[in-house]
């Protein structure tokens, strides 16, 4: 990353520069103090004898006018926050003219007035480009020298010391201007670099927070009072989705609190797997101090043991999928020939009722076998997700309308419920989300009905804990037995005689590919709920 040097002019034009603001305020208040000094010198009682006023009327006029000018500049700066480089240039020109006139009217105080003018020029060099600062130094030098030249006919006492003195002040003006301008440029470059570094640090902190929040490993920060300070989404889910106001680890996860205390007191880690909440996978907790020999803050990592077995299962299924896909391609051609032959037999007018029934059985089993082949091929050629930002409410209404147009649901009902005050926004692959919800709705309409009654299926869109987007497919059927519910997401597990056991497995696989979680939840009073917890959008904004 490269940082370009910022010019003084660009800085002055920006009213938000803190450094420039402070420099400008210093110059304005110094000008006000300078004007008060002029007033004190010009209106000194005559009895004091110093300084001697060469022209009392001019001295008092310059002092009074310069004081009014200084007050006006201070007021304008407070109202407008910035004068701009033209405004600063104009005020410094007035400073030079006032100083030259004050020296002419109060010659005995010329050294002090000339030294105060050097401060004005130094501040101007910090605020203005080098050329303009040198121009002001040249004007100040000419003014100091010109005052001596014009006073020669009227002041015979002027000697070479006055010229030398004025020349030395001129050299000092140029040296101060160059030095302050160089220092000002370096100061602004350092300020720009520091600001860029602060922005980078803020962005890095946000990225780190996003990474930790999206980690599959649960992460928690717990203090010495057993209170949870921070928790990521994975840990929150592994703890059973506790409410946001529950921060006591002893109440949220007593077993985890016991293991933490055992680790702190004995230094030994219990590496056996444990279940922290009903329906959640087993985890192996690990603990780490933020600082050596300091138990005030402890990081807790929750390693999901199901992830290891799931990775092994994915490797096995990947190999099985490739093998099954090659076999499925070989089966399709003879299967199509069998189905076509059965259709031709069904068109014969000489077929008996028994033979027609046999042909119907052949067609049914051909359809079932074709569904199995399609699921296997879909498993083997699943594409990588392409996430996009979706409004779940609008998406759900569009899905239901499309489903009703493409499928005759008869007396069954399928509708969307979205009562959220704010739009529910999620990040997911629209096509894969469509496949997941289509599978869930198809199962709900097929199995989620009471005997002799039409199916009633709801697609619910809402916000969950911490504002996460949730989409639920709910039916009012008999529900799923607990023993069966524990296995419904396993591949090739089915309770239906014509099921393939791959539908819900594929749905969960596609949900996880979109950083989402698909789970089964029993419904009070009967029925089933398949809950899809999606990923909310994350915005990373640069610090201002």
């Amino acid at each position: 990353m490269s940082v370009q040097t910022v010019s003084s002019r660009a800085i002055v034009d920006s009213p938000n520069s803190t450094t420039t603001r402070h420099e400008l305020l210093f110059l304005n208040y110094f000008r006000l103090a300078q004007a008060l000094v002029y007033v004190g010198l010009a209106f000194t009682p005559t009895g004091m004898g110093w300084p001697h006023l060469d022209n009392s009327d001019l001295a008092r006029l310059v002092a009074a006018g310069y004081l009014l000018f200084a007050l006006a500049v201070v007021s304008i700066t407070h109202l407008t926050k910035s004068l701009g480089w033209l405004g600063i240039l104009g005020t410094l020109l007035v400073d030079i003219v006032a100083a030259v006139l004050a020296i002419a009217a109060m010659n005995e105080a010329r050294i002090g007035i000339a030294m105060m003018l050097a401060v004005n020029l130094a501040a101007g060099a910090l605020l203005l480009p080098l050329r303009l600062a040198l121009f002001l130094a040249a004007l100040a030098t000419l003014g100091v020298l010109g005052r001596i030249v014009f006073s020669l006919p009227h002041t015979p006492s002027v000697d070479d010391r006055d010229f030398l003195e004025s020349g030395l002040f001129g050299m000092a003006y140029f040296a101060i201007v160059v030095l302050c301008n160089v220092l000002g440029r370096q100061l602004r470059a350092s300020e720009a670099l520091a600001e860029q570094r602060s922005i980078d640090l803020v962005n890095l902190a946000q990225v780190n927070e996003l990474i930790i929040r999206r980690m599959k490993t649960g992460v928690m920060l717990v203090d010495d009072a057993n209170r949870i300070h921070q928790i990521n989404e994975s840990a929150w889910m592994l703890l059973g989705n506790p409410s946001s106001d529950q921060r006591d680890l002893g109440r949220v996860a007593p077993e985890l609190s016991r293991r933490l205390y055992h680790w702190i007191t004995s230094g030994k880690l219990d590496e056996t797997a444990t279940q922290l909440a009903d329906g959640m996978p087993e985890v192996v907790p690990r603990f780490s101090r933020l600082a050596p020999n300091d138990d005030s803050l402890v990081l807790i990592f929750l390693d999901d043991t199901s992830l290891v077995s799931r990775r092994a299962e994915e490797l096995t299924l990947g190999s099985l999928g490739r093998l099954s896909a090659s076999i499925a391609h070989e089966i399709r051609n003879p299967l199509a020939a069998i189905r076509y032959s059965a259709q031709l037999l069904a068109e014969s007018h000489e077929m008996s009722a028994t033979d027609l029934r046999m042909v119907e059985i052949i067609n049914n089993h051909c359809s079932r076998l074709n569904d199995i082949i399609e699921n296997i091929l879909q498993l083997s050629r699943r594409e990588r997700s392409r996430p996009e930002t979706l409004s779940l409410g609008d998406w759900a209404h569009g899905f239901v309308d499309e489903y009703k147009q493409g499928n005759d649901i008869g007396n069954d009902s399928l509708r969307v419920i979205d009562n959220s005050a704010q739009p529910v926004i999620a990040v997911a692959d629209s096509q894969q989300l469509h496949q997941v919800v289509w599978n869930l709705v198809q199962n709900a309409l097929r199995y989620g009905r009471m005997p002799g009654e039409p199916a009633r299926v709801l697609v619910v869109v809402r916000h969950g804990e911490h504002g996460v987007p949730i989409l639920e497919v709910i039916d009012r059927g008999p529900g799923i037995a607990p023993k069966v519910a524990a296995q419904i997401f396993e591949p090739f597990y089915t309770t239906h005689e014509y099921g393939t056991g791959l539908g819900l497995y594929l749905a969960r696989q596609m949900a996880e590919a979109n950083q989402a979680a698909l789970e089964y939840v029993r419904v009070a009073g009967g029925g089933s709920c398949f809950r899809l917890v999606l990923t909310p959008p994350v915005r990373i904004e640069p610090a201002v």
Side-chain angles (χ1 to χ4, degrees), residues 132-174:
L132 291 178
L134 290 174
F135 170 71
L136 292 173
L139 284 182
T141 303
L142 290 176
V144 174
L145 290 172
R147 191 268 315 174
I148 300 175
V149 173
F150 284 112
S151 64
L152 279 175
H154 309 285
T155 309
S157 61
V158 175
D159 54 16
D160 294 338
R161 287 187 306 172
D162 295 323
F163 282 101
L164 179 60
E165 182 183 280
S166 300
L168 291 176
F169 273 118
M171 291 177 60
Y173 292 160
F174 279 99

Side-chain angles (χ1 to χ4, degrees), residues 235-274:
W236 177 69
M237 293 180 63
L238 291 172
L239 292 178
N241 306 335
S243 61
S244 58
D245 58 343
Q246 293 182 0
R247 292 290 179 175
D248 187 358
L249 184 63
R251 294 184 178 180
V252 175
E255 175 62 19
L256 186 60
S257 177
R258 184 193 67 80
R259 292 196 183 195
L260 175 60
Y261 177 77
H262 177 72
W263 176 77
I264 292 175
T265 54
S266 66
K268 297 180 180 180
L269 179 64
D270 187 354
E271 297 184 358
T272 58
T274 182

Side-chain angles (χ1 to χ4, degrees), residues 79-136:
L79 291 176
T80 61
K81 303 297 182 182
S82 178
L83 293 176
W85 70 272
L86 285 175
I88 294 174
L89 178 62
T91 57
L92 289 172
L93 288 174
V94 175
D95 293 340
I96 295 172
V97 173
V100 172
L101 293 176
I103 291 174
M106 298 176 286
N107 187 57
E108 290 186 359
R110 63 186 182 278
I111 296 178
I113 296 173
M115 290 179 64
M116 286 191 294
L117 180 59
V119 178
N120 297 76
L121 296 175
L126 292 173
L127 296 167
L128 296 175
L130 181 58
R131 290 184 179 180
L132 291 178
L134 290 174
F135 170 71
L136 292 173

Side-chain angles (χ1 to χ4, degrees), residues 397-473:
H397 283 93
F399 168 83
V400 169
D401 293 340
E402 181 181 349
Y403 188 92
K404 289 180 179 179
Q405 292 175 3
N407 300 272
D408 184 13
I409 63 175
N411 295 328
D412 299 335
S413 66
L414 174 63
R415 60 192 183 94
V416 178
I417 294 181
D418 181 11
N419 297 327
S420 302
Q422 299 288 337
V424 182
I425 307 299
V427 176
D429 185 318
S430 177
Q431 183 176 359
Q432 292 185 357
L433 181 62
H434 186 280
Q435 296 180 39
V436 172
V437 179
W438 189 93
N439 196 312
L440 299 177
V441 169
Q442 187 80 354
N443 287 345
L445 290 173
R446 182 179 298 172
Y447 309 117
R449 65 175 72 235
M450 301 301 292
E453 297 182 5
R456 293 176 296 164
V457 180
L458 301 177
V459 178
V460 180
V461 175
R462 63 182 180 86
H463 286 106
E465 292 288 340
H466 305 291
V468 295
I470 292 179
L471 188 146
E472 297 173 324
V473 177

